[in-house]
Amino acid sequence: MSLTAILAFIVVFALLVSFHEFGHFIVAKKTGVLVREFAIGMGPKLFSWYRNSTSYTIRLLPVGGYVRMGSEEDHAELVAGQQVYLEQDPDGLVVNIDCQADREEAGFLFQIDQADLVDGLVLTGYRNGSNVMETLFVAPTALIIDDSGQETRIAPRSSWIESASALKRLAINLAGPVMNFVLALLAAMVLAFSLGQVSTNTPVLGQVVAHQPAAEAGLKANDRILSVDGHSVKTFTDFASRVNKAGQSALFISYQRSGVTKSVKVTPEAVAVSGQKTYRIGVVAKEETGFTNRLQYGLTMTGSWFTQVGRGILDLFTSTFSLNKLGGPVMLAKATSTASNQGFLTVLALLGFLSVNLGLINLLPIPPLDGGKVFLDLYETIFRHPFPKALANGIIMVGTVALLILMVLVTAKDLLQF
């Protein structure tokens, strides 16, 4: 794989994951849920930085990413008898709780008797060996520094994902796929404004190839196709599809030229495209350069990606299952490498297609995908009580294991192929 292909893969992967996880991240932040970590990649940490209560990390394996939120299973605890160094703000609220035994910086030693960092946000204990018990209040954004020096913000109950309403959790879980759709639309628009001319998919002929069936039948550039064999035609794609389905049977095409409606009989010819037989009459859709035309092209392109991906997903569930219908990180790398050899615009189109694919796949109601979480949120919203927790945890566990096994099998298949 060339350096260009490697860079293209890194950029495509980073954009796909970053947009998806940013959707979860920003909505969680806006709804008051603590975001502990925003990660691109999985596995060992390569580097990270900490800002505004969130650790931003880049990890080794390009197989996804995640947003880790504050939860009932992920909050710091202090035990009776533990000695910590505390720092307070000017209002007397504890803002730093340092568990390192050899600390000598600012602050004071405090021996814990009781600690509540979830609801009351208070510490009771003894300062600097005093025998007078004190009660100190803790700031909701206080940091705990563990024995290794790692900083972690405390997570009061109000900041847990479980404490958010079902509607807020629904918004958080939907935000990831939605941001993938936004990325696809952005890619389509950049593509539209980067091309010299764009096809708006209107049934207007831009070029009629000489000596081909359409030209010999008398069709000309700028003719607007109205119908094929009596079937109304709204787009050039629809027109081309009807021509291809007709095979080598004669077609009666109604068209408009200079405001006058005419009809003509055309017989398609067979040609081989990438080893597949198809039929054509020798016409090309009209291309435009206007601003509105480019906007329309971008929207049309995005819609076509949804159609292609939707059909592919439907095929997974309505026909015989095969690993060959699936692709993992290796397939992504291969596709990106091939696209990079064809230029920037091809990579851009691949990015848009893959972003729609990632968004729609994640909306499938399969735990632990976003769609599975959305199902649980909708259940709680509709029935006014949570889905049985034990059952939900069991389903999520089974789904997680199944997806991990599937990922391993797909990756192995891709490695054997490529």
Side-chain angles (χ1 to χ4, degrees):
M1 186 181 291
S2 67
L3 178 59
T4 300
I6 293 174
L7 291 175
F9 169 71
I10 292 174
V11 170
V12 168
F13 170 79
L15 286 173
L16 289 173
V17 176
S18 297
F19 266 72
H20 183 93
E21 299 305 337
F22 179 76
H24 296 314
F25 166 84
I26 193 63
V27 176
K29 285 271 192 179
K30 293 298 183 181
T31 54
V33 175
L34 170 64
V35 177
R36 289 205 177 278
E37 183 180 4
F38 182 109
I40 304 299
M42 306 289 278
K45 184 188 303 183
L46 295 179
F47 57 89
S48 67
W49 64 97
Y50 186 87
R51 183 174 181 179
N52 295 333
S53 304
T54 301
S55 175
Y56 300 86
T57 62
I58 306 297
R59 296 183 176 271
L60 178 63
L61 303 177
V63 291
Y66 59 88
V67 169
R68 182 165 63 90
M69 303 177 198
S71 73
E72 60 185 359
E73 299 175 355
D74 181 29
H75 61 277
E77 294 182 352
L78 300 174
V79 298
Q82 184 175 358
Q83 290 189 329
V84 296
Y85 283 88
L86 304 181
E87 292 183 21
Q88 295 174 295
D89 66 11
D91 296 323
L93 293 177
V94 174
V95 292
N96 279 330
I97 305 171
D98 196 331
C99 301
Q100 297 177 107
D102 57 352
R103 178 178 170 89
E104 296 180 356
E105 288 88 356
F108 57 91
L109 187 65
F110 193 82
Q111 181 173 315
I112 302 294
D113 180 67
Q114 290 184 338
D116 179 359
L117 301 180
V118 172
D119 295 308
L121 300 185
V122 295
L123 297 176
T124 58
Y126 305 93
R127 182 192 301 244
N128 296 329
S130 169
N131 58 2
V132 177
M133 182 175 291
E134 294 186 55
T135 297
L136 304 177
F137 291 95
V138 181
T141 57
L143 296 178
I144 288 185
I145 300 92
D146 64 20
D147 293 335
S148 65
Q150 178 68 43
E151 292 185 351
T152 304
R153 210 197 90 170
I154 67 170
R157 189 183 303 275
S158 59
S159 70
W160 294 355
I161 180 65
E162 294 88 354
S163 298
S165 68
L167 285 177
K168 288 182 178 179
R169 283 184 271 117
L170 179 64
I172 292 170
N173 291 322
L174 284 175
V178 168
M179 283 304 296
N180 279 126
F181 303 149
V182 170
L183 175 59
L185 182 60
L186 289 175
M189 289 302 174
V190 173
L191 183 63
F193 284 89
S194 298
L195 293 169
Q197 295 179 315
V198 297
S199 170
T200 56
N201 203 28
T202 56
V204 178
L205 306 184
Q207 180 183 359
V208 179
V209 183
H211 310 301
Q212 296 290 319
E216 293 179 351
L219 289 172
K220 297 181 179 180
N222 294 316
D223 287 346
R224 175 178 287 274
I225 306 300
L226 301 177
S227 65
V228 177
D229 285 342
H231 299 284
S232 178
V233 169
K234 300 299 183 183
T235 66
F236 191 86
T237 300
D238 185 23
F239 172 55
S241 175
R242 292 192 177 278
V243 169
N244 188 51
K245 288 180 180 179
Q248 291 183 296
S249 300
L251 296 169
F252 290 92
I253 298 176
S254 176
Y255 65 97
Q256 190 176 69
R257 180 186 296 168
S258 301
V260 179
T261 300
K262 302 181 179 182
S263 62
V264 67
K265 180 180 178 181
V266 185
T267 302
E269 65 176 10
V271 294
V273 178
S274 300
Q276 298 292 321
K277 180 182 286 188
T278 187
Y279 300 90
R280 68 185 184 188
I281 61 174
V283 294
V284 177
K286 187 175 182 179
E287 295 185 327
E288 304 284 356
T289 59
F291 181 84
T292 303
N293 301 121
R294 294 182 185 278
L295 288 179
Q296 183 180 345
Y297 177 85
L299 292 173
T300 301
M301 180 63 70
T302 305
S304 71
W305 291 334
F306 273 90
T307 300
Q308 293 175 61
V309 174
R311 287 174 177 169
I313 293 176
L314 184 63
D315 182 61
L316 285 175
F317 296 96
T318 57
S319 62
T320 304
F321 177 80
S322 172
L323 288 178
N324 291 325
K325 296 179 181 179
L326 303 174
V330 178
M331 178 72 80
L332 172 60
K334 176 63 176 178
T336 306
S337 176
T338 302
S340 67
N341 292 331
Q342 300 175 27
F344 168 73
L345 296 183
T346 305
V347 173
L348 201 58
L350 177 65
L351 171 64
F353 176 83
L354 291 175
S355 195
V356 170
N357 185 79
L358 179 60
L360 288 181
I361 287 291
N362 265 281
L363 284 178
L364 293 176
I366 303 173
L369 298 179
D370 294 327
K373 299 173 185 176
V374 166
F375 169 79
L376 298 178
D377 297 332
L378 287 174
Y379 178 94
E380 183 173 342
T381 301
I382 295 170
F383 295 103
R384 303 294 182 180
H385 63 83
F387 195 83
K389 186 174 180 180
L391 180 58
N393 290 339
I395 294 174
I396 291 173
M397 178 65 70
V398 171
T400 301
V401 172
L403 285 177
L404 286 174
I405 293 173
L406 185 61
M407 180 177 289
V408 170
L409 293 175
V410 169
T411 302
K413 180 266 298 181
D414 290 346
L415 287 171
L416 290 173
Q417 287 184 346
F418 301 122

